[in-house]
Amino acid sequence: EVQLVESGGTLVQAGGSLRLSCKTSGFAYEDDAIAWFRQAPGKEHEGISCIRSSDGSTYYADSVKGRFIISSDNAKNTVYLQMNSLKPEDTAVYYCAADPEGIHDSTWYEDRWYAHWGQGTQVTVSS
């Protein structure tokens, strides 16, 4: 019943921008935290960003801070990831995930908090 569906991944040139969407359904979105993760071949699974739906608090990994912006549209039950100044190193499958317990501040990036995951969307950044 709980579903998260990512969209927006595509091929983009280095220095360009892209916006990913995560549409949620089947749960009380406004009471959850939603995070973006990414997985690239040969690299560790990485938490990118998180937003707490109740108050809009946001968190970012150092690797994307200043380049990516997470936001939400509660009326649409959708979370967005605006990706700017893209680099080839950003190439990965991007996943969104929902934490029904809310936010876990300093450890928001740990997989164990997230009960529901989307199927992923591929982002490829060409040099």
Side-chain angles (χ1 to χ4, degrees):
E1 185 178 23
V2 174
Q3 291 188 330
L4 293 85
V5 180
E6 305 95 334
S7 63
T10 189
L11 173 66
V12 62
Q13 65 180 354
S17 297
L18 192 64
R19 189 179 74 163
L20 305 183
S21 298
C22 174
K23 186 171 180 60
T24 68
S25 61
F27 66 99
Y29 166 74
E30 66 271 17
D31 296 327
D32 291 355
I34 305 294
W36 287 95
F37 293 79
R38 66 185 180 186
Q39 178 67 64
K43 297 183 179 179
E44 293 186 355
H45 187 68
E46 180 184 21
I48 299 302
S49 187
C50 180
I51 185 167
R52 184 162 60 185
S53 301
S54 60
D55 63 4
S57 298
T58 59
Y59 303 84
Y60 297 93
D62 289 342
S63 59
V64 305
K65 192 173 297 181
R67 298 190 298 124
F68 293 6
I69 302 171
I70 192 169
S71 62
S72 63
D73 184 338
N74 289 353
K76 296 182 178 179
N77 290 336
T78 300
V79 171
Y80 303 98
L81 185 67
Q82 179 66 46
M83 309 163 68
N84 301 314
S85 301
L86 283 163
K87 305 174 181 179
E89 302 88 90
D90 295 318
T91 296
V93 178
Y94 284 72
Y95 301 87
C96 63
D99 170 16
E101 298 294 330
I103 189 69
H104 299 274
D105 45 48
S106 61
T107 59
W108 62 267
Y109 51 83
E110 295 186 4
D111 287 5
R112 57 174 170 156
W113 308 128
Y114 298 91
H116 308 288
W117 294 76
Q119 80 287 348
T121 185
Q122 176 71 49
V123 173
T124 302
V125 184
S126 62
S127 61

